[in-house]
Amino acid sequence: MNTDQLKNPLEIWVKEDLFLPKSSLIPLLMHTTPPDTKPVPGFGNSLQESWNLLHESLKGVVTVRQFKNLEDAGSLVVTPHALQDYIEPGLFNSACQLYRKAVASGRTPIIFPGGIEYRARPGEIVFATSGYRDRSTATEISTPAWLYDLGAKVSTIPKPSLPTVGFVGATQYPGRVNQLLENLPKSDIILRSLAGNPWFNRTAYLGARLPVARAFRKHTLKETLKSPELKTDFIERNVHYFLQSKEYKDRARNEYIENLEKNAYILCMRGSENFSYRLYEVMSAGRIPIIIDTNMRLPELESMNWEDFSVIVPYLEVGKIGKIVAGFHDRLSDDDFAEVCRKSRAAFEELLPHNFIFKFVKYLQTHQTVLHSLPESQS
């Protein structure tokens, strides 16, 4: 997007006592700190170059003001970090109170929940990775889940005769409680319903959501394995990747990338929240994601539709996954297949931070203009 199309500058107001020294800033504040030059262990610069481009892109576009008391703030109020970052230091309620007070005062809070389930309230603008297609009266904009760019690690692949479907990921948790939950009888109908239910997932504690999400993953893998139309290549794990040793991470990551390298299609399912980091890594590698759609609200694309490069399987139709994927695959010539893979990578590039950020800025500038045009009694 051309930054010349934007009305400069966007003015946002940040509560000064909610800065956390060890947490990443929200994207709208990235330009207030020096670019990061420290490689991520095992990944090199990965998405780092894009984040550093974001530093430059926002200069002169977003003006940041700090406030101590809300009455001194302007119309758009933000916390400097994602909402999830305030859980561990015990400031989650303080951040939520700021949002409520901002709405009550006629201001608009801008919220980045991070990787948590958050129900947007009327008067808030929420940029969320985890969202649902519900009829909320609040404004929720779906954002990508940025993690790693695998484009340099995975080469192109020709169209296989049968759709080759890969997956590497956790489908269960260790521990006695989880083992008990794993062995309890479950109704597939109830399981599928809960996996895409906004009320359950936004209300239930993480400990209740995780067994449902993992059981739904296992159910999806089972249905995929039963499909004679597909050639499957699955590696199931029972540990959380980011909590393991460096040696484990290196080995597991190599297996994950090899799985991407070998397979044309990759299953992308929700985890504890209603989004998938895997989806964006699959796109970065130029592979075709099979999105198990649990009422996901996907980020808006300007140059194409999600259906142009991905297979979208409604979560209540997982039992038909073989026919759905095979139908998509059989319609593609060799050249069409290559084009779909190219579009997958192109969509990833459109959603990179330094490109996607201007959707935030443009939307907020429009919103700020509306606020400023209201009579004082309404704003």
Side-chain angles (χ1 to χ4, degrees):
M1 183 181 294
N2 187 347
T3 59
D4 294 336
Q5 297 173 356
L6 301 173
K7 302 170 185 177
N8 295 327
L10 171 71
E11 187 175 81
I12 59 175
W13 292 77
V14 186
K15 188 108 169 42
E16 61 183 31
D17 60 358
L18 286 177
F19 279 93
L20 303 173
K22 295 183 179 180
S23 295
S24 299
L25 294 171
I26 60 172
L28 289 173
L29 297 176
M30 290 292 291
H31 63 300
T32 64
T33 59
D36 185 10
T37 58
K38 184 179 179 182
V40 179
F43 299 96
N45 289 332
S46 194
L47 277 176
Q48 188 183 95
E49 292 180 5
S50 179
W51 281 111
N52 288 343
L53 285 170
L54 179 59
H55 281 81
E56 299 302 316
S57 299
L58 290 180
K59 289 180 180 177
V61 176
V62 177
T63 299
V64 180
R65 314 281 189 200
Q66 292 192 26
F67 68 92
K68 183 176 182 180
N69 300 309
L70 183 60
E71 56 266 27
D72 298 325
S75 60
L76 299 178
V77 175
V78 305
T79 52
H81 310 286
L83 186 54
Q84 69 175 14
D85 294 334
Y86 292 105
I87 296 174
E88 187 174 342
L91 293 172
F92 183 86
N93 288 334
S94 296
C96 290
Q97 285 174 9
L98 172 64
Y99 305 151
R100 288 194 289 270
K101 288 178 180 177
V103 171
S105 70
R107 295 170 175 84
T108 300
I110 306 165
I111 305 168
F112 289 80
I116 63 172
E117 299 275 351
Y118 180 81
R119 183 175 183 83
R121 299 180 178 89
E124 299 174 341
I125 296 177
V126 180
F127 294 102
T129 54
S130 178
Y132 296 84
R133 297 189 304 273
D134 59 13
R135 297 181 180 179
S136 172
T137 57
T139 301
E140 182 176 292
I141 293 91
S142 184
T143 67
W146 295 299
L147 196 58
Y148 302 117
D149 183 352
L150 301 180
K153 293 179 177 286
V154 179
S155 58
T156 58
I157 188 172
K159 181 189 175 186
S161 55
L162 279 180
T164 54
V165 180
F167 175 82
V168 178
T171 57
Q172 57 187 317
Y173 278 124
R176 295 180 63 184
V177 173
N178 286 297
Q179 287 176 0
L180 285 172
L181 290 170
E182 178 74 18
N183 293 324
L184 286 175
K186 304 179 187 71
S187 163
D188 285 344
I189 295 175
I190 293 174
L191 179 66
R192 293 199 300 270
S193 298
L194 291 178
N197 184 283
W199 180 86
F200 169 76
N201 288 288
R202 286 169 170 161
T203 306
Y205 288 106
L206 181 63
R209 296 199 310 271
L210 279 174
V212 170
R214 293 295 166 92
F216 182 69
R217 280 189 172 189
K218 287 188 72 70
H219 171 74
T220 301
L221 295 183
K222 180 182 74 174
E223 293 298 324
T224 309
L225 286 166
K226 285 165 47 178
S227 304
E229 305 93 339
L230 309 177
K231 181 180 179 181
T232 55
D233 181 12
F234 298 159
I235 301 176
E236 297 185 54
R237 305 200 190 285
N238 63 355
V239 296
H240 194 301
Y241 171 82
F242 287 102
L243 300 179
Q244 305 310 307
S245 66
K246 181 182 182 304
E247 292 74 19
Y248 177 92
K249 287 181 181 178
D250 289 345
R251 183 177 69 254
R253 194 63 178 176
N254 286 335
E255 289 177 344
Y256 176 75
I257 293 172
E258 287 173 8
N259 190 267
L260 279 174
E261 182 84 39
K262 291 189 296 181
N263 295 291
Y265 297 82
I266 306 293
L267 280 172
C268 299
M269 297 170 276
R270 66 164 295 157
S272 55
E273 282 74 39
N274 199 30
F275 74 98
S276 167
Y277 280 115
R278 183 191 322 273
L279 168 60
Y280 300 96
E281 292 188 319
V282 170
M283 291 164 61
S284 79
R287 294 298 187 263
I288 302 173
I290 302 173
I291 302 173
I292 307 302
D293 179 19
T294 44
N295 281 333
M296 288 179 181
R297 188 194 293 267
L298 294 168
E300 181 182 344
L301 291 164
E302 293 187 350
S303 63
M304 66 190 87
N305 297 315
W306 283 88
E307 292 82 359
D308 293 341
F309 61 88
S310 56
V311 184
I312 300 179
V313 180
Y315 70 109
L316 293 176
E317 297 182 20
V318 166
K320 303 176 184 176
I321 189 169
K323 295 187 182 303
I324 293 172
V325 175
F328 180 95
H329 187 74
D330 292 344
R331 289 192 294 270
L332 302 177
S333 67
D334 290 352
D335 289 343
D336 292 337
F337 176 84
E339 178 63 8
V340 169
C341 293
R342 186 200 65 78
K343 285 184 176 179
S344 184
R345 172 68 197 187
F348 172 79
E349 292 179 358
E350 181 179 325
L351 295 174
L352 282 170
H354 68 291
N355 292 325
F356 192 80
I357 191 69
F358 293 105
K359 291 182 185 291
F360 297 168
V361 176
K362 194 172 183 181
Y363 182 87
L364 293 172
Q365 283 176 327
T366 302
H367 188 83
Q368 192 173 49
T369 301
V370 171
L371 279 178
H372 287 165
S373 68
L374 293 174
E376 186 174 345
S377 61
Q378 296 181 34
S379 60

